[in-house]
């Protein structure tokens, strides 16, 4: 553990000359891109189009849980100076156990890559009529450019680029709600937890998988580590205070955008044939509300795919480095993980179905990241006086149990045909 972190844990304060709080904000906004990826768009649009306001409560609950989870991830990186995969890599002594854990984490990261490349391909097809395969290749090429910014220019320039894309995403996905507002009574009714059959449970798991993304948990601890490693003149307490603001801003943006996507679909696409796909939703928005809303929606989807795919590649590389102690260039990893996404596009598999199913895969990977995160951040020998309070650990355990039970219910419904 870095010496500066150890001194702060023991109560020794470092120099008081510090940058303003605003300059410490950024890692959560980058990690928060994971909550605005094309998988989120597909899951929330499908939920709104098929079930109206029914699953509003899932989006809200998922965002609340995401705040806690992302803060714990960032706290681990700030206090220990290590990412979650690095900490687990040290503590998992059994070589085969560590490899098995790496394999499931890497598969989750690959599912993320698939969703993001497919989303970018669909957006380019909607905007310019490009074939999906070519759109996927272009999305991958642009994501490689973004990764080069991170690897050559450092954390902050990468943050600025991603935050700019987040602004485009926010405008693209929220504009339609102001043009065609949702029903307030429907929103209130949607806050009551309930399901309507197997498909609604599947979509709920998909929304949670898209909202609480395992690779974002791994990535945020690494982003906080990289961003704050150079801030040797700032106390850990101040860094954590800045982190809470960072996570709050990021989750407010992500939660608002995700909710707007679902509300836009619920208010304008509920019951409209063919709107359970991104292409159908785009056409319905264009015909029902106007071309401006539809174009902005497609632009937001494109920015979503470009931004989130670079963060996904960053997470995958960190997972491999932390657990297997192998570091490969981000660009090479991006090239390798492009293959499954391009293969899906090449065989003509329905892109919206692929996006939704990828989010279900992510949902099943959540406990493997969340349970160790809650356990590790509660350990005094690891985080010292910054370990979780009892109520924080209890909230983390409750979130873990909820997600595991939901996934179990999903399996039971799917395999029993209930």
């Amino acid at each position: 553990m870095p010496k500066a972190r150890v001194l702060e844990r023991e109560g020794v304060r470092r120099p008081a000359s510090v940058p303003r709080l605003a300059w410490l904000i950024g890692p959560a906004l980058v990690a928060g891109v994971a909550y605005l990826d094309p998988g989120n768009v597909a899951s929330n649009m499908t939920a709104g189009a098929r079930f109206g306001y029914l699953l509003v409560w899932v989006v809200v609950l998922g965002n609340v849980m995401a705040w806690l989870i992302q803060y714990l991830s960032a706290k681990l990186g700030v206090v220990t100076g290590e990412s979650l995969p690095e900490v687990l890599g040290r503590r998992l002594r059994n070589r085969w156990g560590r490899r098995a854990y790496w394999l499931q984490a890497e598969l989750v990261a690959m599912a993320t890559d698939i969703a993001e490349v497919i989303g970018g391909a669909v957006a380019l097809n909607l905007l310019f009529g490009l074939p999906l395969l070519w759109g996927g290749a272009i999305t991958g090429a642009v994501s490689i450019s973004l990764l080069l910014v991170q690897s050559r220019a450092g954390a902050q320039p990468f943050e600025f680029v991603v935050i700019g894309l987040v602004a485009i995403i926010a405008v693209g996905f929220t504009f339609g709600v102001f043009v065609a507002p949702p029903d307030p009574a429907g929103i209130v009714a949607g806050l009551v937890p309930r399901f309507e059959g197997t498909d609604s449970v599947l979509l709920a798991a998909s929304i949670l998988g898209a909202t609480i993304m395992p690779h974002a948990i791994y990535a945020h601890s690494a982003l906080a580590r990289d961003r704050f490693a150079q801030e040797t003149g700032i106390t850990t307490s101040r860094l954590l205070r800045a982190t809470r603001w960072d996570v709050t801003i990021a989750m407010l943006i992500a939660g608002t955008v995700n909710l707007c996507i679902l509300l836009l679909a619920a208010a304008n696409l509920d019951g409209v044939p063919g709107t359970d796909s991104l292409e159908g939703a785009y056409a319905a928005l264009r015909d029902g509300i106007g071309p401006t809303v539809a174009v902005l929606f497609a632009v937001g989807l494109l920015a979503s795919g470009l931004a989130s795919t670079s963060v996904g590649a960053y997470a995958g590389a960190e997972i491999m480095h932390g657990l297997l102690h192998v570091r490969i260039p981000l660009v090479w990893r991006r090239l390798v993980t492009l293959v499954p996404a391009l293969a899906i596009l090449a065989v003509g598999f329905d892109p919206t179905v692929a996006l939704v199913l990828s989010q279900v895969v992510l949902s099943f990977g959540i406990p493997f990241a969340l349970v160790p995160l809650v356990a590790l951040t509660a350990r005094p020998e690891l985080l010292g006086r910054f370990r979780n309070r009892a109520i924080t650990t209890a909230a983390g355990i409750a979130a873990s149990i909820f997600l595991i039970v939901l996934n179990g219910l999903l399996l039971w419904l799917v395999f029993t045909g209930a």
Side-chain angles (χ1 to χ4, degrees), residues 116-340:
E116 291 153 355
V117 173
I118 289 176
V122 170
L124 288 170
N125 175 262
L126 295 176
L127 288 169
F128 307 110
L130 287 177
L132 290 176
L133 184 59
W134 281 104
I138 292 172
T139 301
V142 175
S143 71
I144 289 173
S145 301
L146 293 177
L147 291 172
L148 288 174
V149 171
Q150 196 277 342
S151 59
R152 295 184 179 181
Q156 277 196 302
F158 181 62
E159 288 174 10
F160 292 148
V161 173
V162 173
I163 291 171
L165 290 171
V166 169
I168 297 173
I169 294 168
V171 173
F173 290 142
T174 60
F175 182 78
V177 173
F178 295 98
V179 175
D183 176 28
I187 298 174
V188 173
L191 292 173
V192 179
R194 65 192 190 281
F195 295 111
E196 291 181 1
T198 304
D199 288 346
S200 66
V201 179
L202 176 65
L203 277 172
S206 180
I207 290 171
L208 289 173
T211 303
I212 305 170
M213 303 184 78
H215 83 283
I217 299 174
Y218 300 121
H220 199 171
S221 57
L223 288 164
R225 175 203 63 196
D226 294 345
R227 178 69 165 79
F228 296 135
Q230 59 194 9
E231 305 290 356
T232 56
I234 308 175
T235 63
T236 302
S237 296
R238 185 176 176 87
L239 289 177
L240 291 177
R241 186 161 60 249
T243 295
R244 284 191 288 272
W245 277 103
D246 192 20
V247 174
T248 299
I249 293 169
M251 292 301 100
L252 278 175
I253 294 172
T256 300
V257 172
N258 280 318
L259 188 58
C260 283
I261 294 169
L262 187 146
L263 295 179
L264 179 65
N268 300 279
L269 306 180
D270 188 13
V272 178
T275 53
D276 54 355
S277 69
L278 290 174
E279 298 89 342
Y282 172 84
L285 290 174
R286 180 193 60 208
D287 298 337
I289 306 178
T292 301
V293 172
V295 169
L296 284 175
F297 172 81
V299 169
L301 180 63
L302 177 59
S304 168
L306 295 178
S308 53
T309 190
S310 56
V311 176
Y314 175 89
E318 182 61 34
I319 290 168
M320 178 173 286
H321 168 66
L323 290 167
L324 299 186
H325 312 299
V326 175
R327 187 177 290 280
I328 61 173
L330 283 172
V331 172
W332 283 108
R333 188 190 183 279
R334 169 74 281 182
L335 289 171
V336 170
T337 54
L338 270 176
V339 174

Side-chain angles (χ1 to χ4, degrees), residues 61-62 64-70 72 208 212 217 363 366-367 370-371 373-374 391-407:
L61 179 62
V64 171
M65 290 192 295
W67 187 97
L68 172 64
I69 293 165
Q70 291 308 131
L72 293 182
L208 289 173
I212 305 170
I217 299 174
S363 184
I366 291 169
L370 182 52
V371 171
L373 176 68
V374 174
I391 190 171
T392 303
T393 300
I397 292 173
S400 303
I401 292 174
F402 173 79
L403 293 166
I404 293 169
V405 169
L406 179 62
N407 288 328

Side-chain angles (χ1 to χ4, degrees), residues 88-109:
L88 289 172
R90 284 193 294 104
R91 289 177 169 260
L92 293 174
R93 303 295 178 84
N94 184 284
R95 181 174 61 180
W96 291 106
R98 189 170 67 251
R99 288 176 177 176
Y101 187 94
W102 164 78
L103 180 61
Q104 65 80 28
E106 204 68 59
L107 288 175
V108 163

